[in-house]
Amino acid sequence: MTKEEYSVTGMTCSACSSRVEKCIAKLNGIEKVSVNLLTNSMRVEYDESLLTGQQIVDAVVKAGYGAASKTAHAETARGMKPVEEEQRHMKERLIISFFFLIPLMYISMGHMIGLPMPGFLSGIENGVSFAFTQLLLCIPVILVNRKYYTKGFQTLAHLAPNMDSLIAVGSSASLIYGIFAIYRMSYGLGHGNTELVERYYHDLYFESAAMILTLITLGKFLEARSKGKTGEAIKKLMDLAPKTACVERDGQEVPVPVEQVVTGDVIIVRPGEAIPADGYILEGSAGIDESAITGESIPVQKQAGEKVIAATINKTGYIRIKATGVGEETTFSRIIKLVEEASSSKAPIAKMADRIAGFFVPAVMGIALLTMGVWLLCGADFEFALSCGICVLVISCPCALGLATPVAIMAGTGKGAENGILIKSGEALETAHNIQCVVLDKTGTITEGRPTVTDVVMTDPAIARQELLEIAFGLEEKSEHPLAEAIIAFAKENRVRPALVQSFEAIPGKGVKGTVKGNVYLAGNLRMMEEANISTSGVESVLDHLADDGKTTMLFADDTHVFGIIGVADVIKPTSAEAVRQLKKQGIDVIMLTGDRYRTARAIQRETQIDSVIAEVLPRDKEIEIAKLQEQGKVVAMIGDGINDAPALARADVGIAIGAGTDVAIESADIVLLKNDLQDAVTAIGLSKAVIRNIKQNLFWAFFYNTLGIPVAAGVLYPTLGLKLNPMISAAAMSMSSIFVVTNALRLRNFKAPGTQTKVTGTQPFSSQTEDREQNCDDMTEKKDNTIKAKENTTMITMKINGMMCPHCQAAVKKALEAFPGVTADVNLEEKAAYITGDADKDALVKAVMDAGYEVTAVE
């Protein structure tokens, strides 16, 4: 199947888009077609062995419209954008229309309110001159707005009338009747029948024809300006794309247009410059502002070998990068394409409006004829019946009906893109508002996805903590186990040197062992200790306590006893608990689906207050669990990393990939959250609810307007209340209905995420006690209490620091300060300060920070 997008010209209302969609859907080989009135675009999925792109274009042309294939970024091409060009032409038409309409209205109605009138146009005797002058002023308005007639009568000839057909027929009826009146007045003057002249003198409809065309054009112009605002988010994204790149060619730095950058090019990026292509850093380091992609304002520190993304900004540092993705292959370009496709896609709720629009215009024309017939049968004169018929035609425009859905979807998907939320289709947007159950993957979704040392427990007072860490470092640096990485990182943070290990041996599924200074040491799980006949009778309570907190334990022993335990856990993201709370507040069931042990999953459940847990599930079985929930009649959303969870994401009613801009995530999910934050899932669901609510408001207004407007225009209230609309008022009402719908959709630009995000600094492990603990297994509780009391009696030092730019700097300062025994430091990036507790010398602390490359401005 081939997917292609086309620009469609000439569509003015939902009847047009419905007509185009029906004509294309009939073609042999068409799998799927979606026509969007707002963006004047058509997306087609077809079998190229049965159908060609030219045949599709020909079918659109045959239906009475224009079509041309376009790329996802056609609007960025050189020259004036089609939307802006259309607005310019519309503005010119509007100016010319008003230029002739104003004197026309003065002549036709000025005498009614006592305004002075030229002598040759005054009185019954000058009736023909009076009428003919109005015709001359009306003709330029008709000519400049002839588009309504050419398109309207063309679609009428194809038996597929649209909004233009209503305008063309209504204004033509006014014009023809006015010309007929001139002939009747001429006859009356020639035969001395002043009564006949006076009758038609007051029943000319030239001003109605001109006013209808002018007001419709004014409404269209205001509507186009408002519709342009709904796409501002996409335009802002496009404006972030870099225009040039500095590339190394033959040993020289050469500035080239970004279109000329090719895969494999080495690009120089200096501070303040935008990165022109996806790639990885060859040389240097820099703080990269990725807000264009993730919405996260704090720069991310990048080192050599790390990936960078096009359109992000190099804030600090000189880097050389190698391009791996250029042009439309960059992550940034794919994001824009996704947003554009979502904006032009059609939600299921729009199909109802399309079905109605298909027969709406023919029905209105029938109602107009019926209205005229009924009034004539009731004894009304022809002028009255004609006026009522014209009012019905003009007021019943289906514009509002056609715009109700697409303007809201474009505004909603654009707002999502601003917040790092990519909604891939209107269908996903609509389904998300009905979500009843959210299933969360654990690793990388609720938690950070990387293990961290949380506890160091000493079980033998004769062995110091430093010695345990040296032995652990020495043993684990030779291991490839994920827990080893956490222990090594912790040891490095604490400036521990690894012990020299000989005779190293890894025992799969159990642990490692080796010799240090002639003594054999073991590091592993409980099974390893049992098989080595090493007693663990004194440490079971510690192991149970750590296991209840969801932590994995590593036991360290010599050939006689266990002398230390290190607890490792995957820490919960700072915003996960608040996100779960917000989901539950919306009445959504929250379930955690994980392959981890049930005991670990229960620990996370306690910390985050998740409703229920499904644990020890293999990746291939996650899809089955989603299906079981769906069988219970629930609308299920799955939130995962988009790689291991791809089958479950595809199975769910709405698949949400978190913290990923990867190809796998984008392909497998319906919604992609670029930031690694579960709160964005709450925002996405809230945005969906807001958009669907907005669409329903728009559809209600469109139906209510037509339901109320058509009877009033037909003169139903005239016999009882004497209320009858003028065709000019009908034209104004029709224009205002479309403007109302677009303006209502624009309110989505002010959307705020539901609830308030709790600001949390750092990360939280499963247990609320986050300090590393040096505890003897016999008096863990007592030591914990003593530690807290000691902290309360310790003086706090506040150190003001300049030069911290990013979380990497924050971590570096914290590491330098906490290298001193007994010192803890809370480093605040926003306040450029460190809050230190401990007994270390102030001068030594200042020197440590200065040695790390930062400036200390004050110590309090």
Side-chain angles (χ1 to χ4, degrees):
M1 287 292 172
T2 300
K3 291 182 181 179
E4 197 161 356
E5 189 170 359
Y6 296 84
S7 295
V8 181
T9 57
M11 295 192 301
T12 53
C13 68
S14 55
C16 299
S17 57
S18 179
R19 162 79 172 162
V20 173
E21 200 165 281
K22 286 179 181 177
C23 289
I24 300 303
K26 291 177 183 177
L27 296 177
N28 185 30
I30 292 291
E31 179 70 21
K32 191 175 182 182
V33 59
S34 175
V35 179
N36 190 289
L37 174 64
L38 178 66
T39 57
N40 291 316
S41 64
M42 175 176 69
R43 293 180 63 213
V44 180
E45 191 173 328
Y46 64 97
D47 187 344
E48 58 184 345
S49 65
L50 300 173
L51 195 64
T52 65
Q54 187 57 47
Q55 287 176 305
I56 293 172
V57 171
D58 291 342
V60 175
V61 172
K62 187 178 179 181
Y65 304 89
S69 178
K70 69 172 187 176
T71 63
H73 301 288
E75 273 206 346
T76 60
R78 294 179 183 176
M80 185 174 289
K81 298 176 183 178
V83 174
E84 292 177 355
E85 189 174 2
E86 177 65 22
Q87 285 186 22
R88 183 178 64 81
H89 288 315
M90 208 175 290
K91 187 176 181 181
E92 290 174 357
R93 285 163 45 198
L94 195 58
I95 292 170
I96 295 171
S97 296
F98 272 111
F99 181 80
F100 289 97
L101 177 66
I102 291 170
L104 173 58
M105 294 300 294
Y106 184 93
I107 292 171
S108 64
M109 296 187 173
H111 64 283
M112 298 179 185
I113 55 176
L115 294 177
M117 192 72 66
F120 69 92
L121 296 178
S122 300
I124 298 297
E125 64 276 11
N126 293 312
V128 173
S129 299
F130 175 75
F132 192 69
T133 302
Q134 291 184 48
L135 174 61
L136 292 178
L137 289 170
C138 182
I139 287 172
V141 179
I142 291 172
L143 289 175
V144 79
N145 292 294
R146 60 188 177 277
K147 179 180 177 183
Y148 295 121
Y149 296 94
T150 55
K151 186 60 65 180
F153 288 121
Q154 185 182 34
T155 55
L156 190 58
H158 284 92
L159 301 179
N162 65 355
M163 179 205 79
D164 292 334
S165 304
L166 298 178
I167 296 169
V169 172
S171 59
S172 294
S174 297
L175 180 66
I176 292 169
Y177 181 79
I179 294 171
F180 169 75
I182 292 177
Y183 280 98
R184 294 295 291 161
M185 290 168 69
S186 178
Y187 176 84
L189 287 172
H191 290 76
N193 189 347
T194 55
E195 184 181 345
L196 181 65
V197 176
E198 187 172 2
R199 175 185 169 189
Y200 285 100
Y201 185 87
H202 295 292
D203 281 328
L204 296 170
Y205 279 104
F206 293 122
E207 79 283 357
S208 292
M211 182 65 85
I212 288 169
L213 295 171
T214 303
L215 287 178
I216 296 296
T217 302
L218 174 62
K220 284 286 181 184
F221 176 70
L222 295 175
E223 177 189 309
R225 289 186 61 183
S226 298
K227 284 185 340 189
K229 291 179 182 178
T230 64
E232 280 183 359
I234 299 175
K235 292 173 186 174
K236 287 177 183 177
L237 276 175
M238 288 179 169
D239 290 341
L240 293 172
K243 305 298 184 290
T244 60
C246 185
V247 180
E248 284 188 1
R249 298 273 169 85
D250 300 323
Q252 301 291 323
E253 294 183 11
V254 183
V256 298
V258 72
E259 294 83 5
Q260 295 181 15
V261 177
V262 297
T263 302
D265 272 347
V266 175
I267 305 169
I268 309 300
V269 186
R270 294 178 172 82
E273 294 180 349
I275 295 172
D278 287 359
Y280 60 89
I281 299 175
L282 293 173
E283 177 188 337
S285 64
I288 306 297
D289 179 359
E290 296 184 340
S291 58
I293 305 297
T294 66
E296 184 58 56
S297 58
I298 299 175
V300 179
Q301 196 68 20
K302 301 276 187 174
Q303 309 291 335
E306 292 192 77
K307 292 181 180 180
V308 291
I309 302 172
T312 56
I313 308 296
N314 178 8
K315 287 291 190 181
T316 58
Y318 170 95
I319 54 174
R320 293 170 67 243
I321 69 171
K322 187 166 186 176
T324 57
V326 299
E328 293 186 3
E329 298 304 316
T330 65
T331 299
F332 183 71
S333 294
R334 290 200 300 272
I335 288 171
I336 291 177
K337 186 175 181 180
L338 277 176
V339 176
E340 285 181 332
E341 288 178 352
S343 298
S344 62
S345 66
K346 191 172 290 185
I349 196 172
K351 293 176 183 177
M352 175 183 65
D354 287 346
R355 284 195 297 270
I356 292 171
F359 62 80
F360 182 81
V361 175
V364 166
M365 298 185 82
I367 293 171
L369 288 173
L370 181 64
T371 298
M372 289 182 63
V374 169
W375 278 115
L376 289 172
L377 290 173
C378 291
D381 58 30
F382 181 76
E383 293 79 10
F384 184 92
L386 177 65
S387 175
C388 289
I390 293 171
C391 283
V392 170
L393 289 173
V394 175
I395 205 170
S396 307
C397 178
C399 295
L401 198 60
L403 291 170
T405 301
V407 289
I409 288 178
M410 176 171 272
T413 52
K415 189 66 181 178
E418 284 180 10
N419 291 280
I421 301 168
L422 301 184
I423 301 166
K424 292 176 65 176
S425 68
E427 185 175 356
L429 191 64
E430 181 174 344
T431 306
H433 95 286
N434 285 322
I435 289 173
Q436 299 168 304
C437 175
V438 169
V439 178
L440 306 175
D441 176 47
K442 178 181 78 71
T443 306
T445 301
I446 301 171
T447 67
E448 293 286 358
R450 59 178 185 273
T452 304
V453 172
T454 57
D455 299 84
V456 178
V457 182
M458 304 308 303
T459 59
D460 184 352
I463 297 181
R465 179 178 187 269
Q466 186 74 8
E467 185 179 354
L468 167 61
L469 292 177
E470 287 174 358
I471 294 170
F473 192 178
L475 288 169
E476 298 299 344
E477 72 173 348
K478 296 178 181 294
S479 172
E480 297 179 355
H481 194 277
L483 294 182
E485 296 177 9
I487 293 172
I488 292 167
F490 180 79
K492 287 179 177 178
E493 287 175 9
N494 286 270
R495 299 189 178 181
V496 173
R497 293 183 177 180
L500 181 61
V501 176
Q502 297 176 327
S503 304
F504 174 83
E505 182 184 354
I507 304 171
K510 299 171 186 176
V512 297
K513 68 177 181 178
T515 303
V516 177
K517 296 179 181 177
N519 296 318
V520 175
Y521 292 100
L522 290 81
N525 55 27
L526 193 59
R527 188 189 306 172
M528 184 180 190
M529 300 300 142
E530 291 172 351
E531 290 184 2
N533 295 319
I534 296 173
S535 174
T536 57
S537 58
V539 297
E540 284 94 343
S541 60
V542 180
L543 296 176
D544 289 341
H545 177 79
L546 294 174
D548 287 340
D549 282 346
K551 299 172 184 178
T552 302
T553 52
M554 183 74 75
L555 287 72
F556 291 85
D558 55 20
D559 53 4
T560 61
H561 70 296
V562 175
F563 58 83
I565 300 169
I566 294 180
V568 178
D570 186 2
V571 296
I572 296 172
K573 292 177 186 175
T575 57
S576 291
E578 175 63 15
V580 170
R581 189 185 73 81
Q582 286 292 339
L583 288 170
K584 291 171 68 175
K585 188 177 178 181
Q586 294 182 39
I588 297 172
D589 293 333
V590 184
I591 298 172
M592 180 168 63
L593 184 63
T594 178
D596 212 334
R597 293 178 304 162
Y598 187 76
R599 198 168 191 174
T600 303
R602 283 282 298 163
I604 298 176
Q605 183 185 20
R606 285 196 299 272
E607 290 290 327
T608 58
Q609 298 301 305
I610 287 172
D611 293 317
S612 57
V613 168
I614 304 173
E616 299 179 14
V617 179
L618 294 174
R620 64 175 179 269
D621 294 332
K622 289 184 178 181
E623 180 188 0
I624 297 172
E625 296 296 335
I626 297 293
K628 287 179 181 178
L629 292 169
Q630 290 173 324
E631 287 170 4
Q632 297 172 20
K634 295 180 179 180
V635 179
V636 181
M638 171 70 191
I639 306 177
D641 61 14
I643 299 172
N644 297 328
D645 303 311
L649 287 169
R651 164 64 68 177
D653 296 290
V654 180
I656 303 176
I658 186 169
T662 64
D663 291 337
V664 175
I666 289 173
E667 287 299 322
S668 60
D670 301 301
I671 299 174
V672 180
L673 311 179
L674 295 176
K675 286 185 286 185
N676 202 11
D677 190 341
L678 200 55
Q679 282 276 29
D680 284 348
V682 181
T683 303
I685 294 171
L687 180 61
S688 170
K689 292 178 184 291
V691 170
I692 299 304
R693 184 166 57 248
N694 192 279
I695 289 173
K696 288 179 178 178
Q697 290 168 355
N698 288 345
L699 288 173
F700 171 79
W701 168 254
F703 285 120
F704 172 77
Y705 162 79
N706 281 298
T707 303
L708 180 66
I710 291 175
V712 174
V716 171
L717 300 179
Y718 184 75
T720 55
L721 301 177
L723 180 62
K724 175 186 173 295
L725 293 183
N726 183 287
M728 293 180 288
I729 297 174
S730 297
M734 189 281 292
S735 297
M736 288 306 300
S737 70
S738 297
I739 294 170
F740 173 86
V741 165
V742 176
T743 304
N744 186 47
L746 287 175
R747 294 189 305 112
L748 289 169
R749 298 194 302 171
N750 301 319
F751 169 81
K752 302 292 183 186
T756 55
Q757 294 191 12
T758 304
K759 186 175 181 180
V760 188
T761 56
T763 53
Q764 60 183 60
F766 299 146
S767 171
S768 58
Q769 172 65 26
T770 60
E771 302 296 325
D772 300 324
R773 295 175 288 183
E774 285 185 47
Q775 302 163 327
N776 184 280
C777 62
D778 295 328
D779 56 355
M780 286 179 68
T781 305
E782 183 181 348
K783 279 214 164 187
K784 185 189 296 183
D785 294 340
N786 290 340
T787 301
I788 293 170
K789 289 175 183 177
K791 283 187 177 182
E792 290 173 352
N793 296 325
T794 302
T795 304
M796 177 177 282
I797 300 170
T798 301
M799 184 181 292
K800 297 292 185 180
I801 304 166
N802 275 347
M804 293 192 298
M805 302 292 291
C806 63
H808 178 77
C809 302
Q810 182 184 23
V813 171
K814 183 178 177 70
K815 180 179 177 180
L817 292 169
E818 293 185 346
F820 293 90
V823 170
T824 59
D826 180 13
V827 182
N828 191 303
L829 188 62
E830 293 178 1
E831 297 176 10
K832 306 295 183 188
Y835 303 97
I836 309 160
T837 55
D839 299 326
D841 181 64
K842 288 184 182 179
D843 293 337
L845 293 171
V846 170
K847 184 177 184 302
V849 174
M850 299 285 280
D851 289 345
Y854 302 93
E855 179 187 358
V856 178
T857 58
V859 179
E860 301 170 1

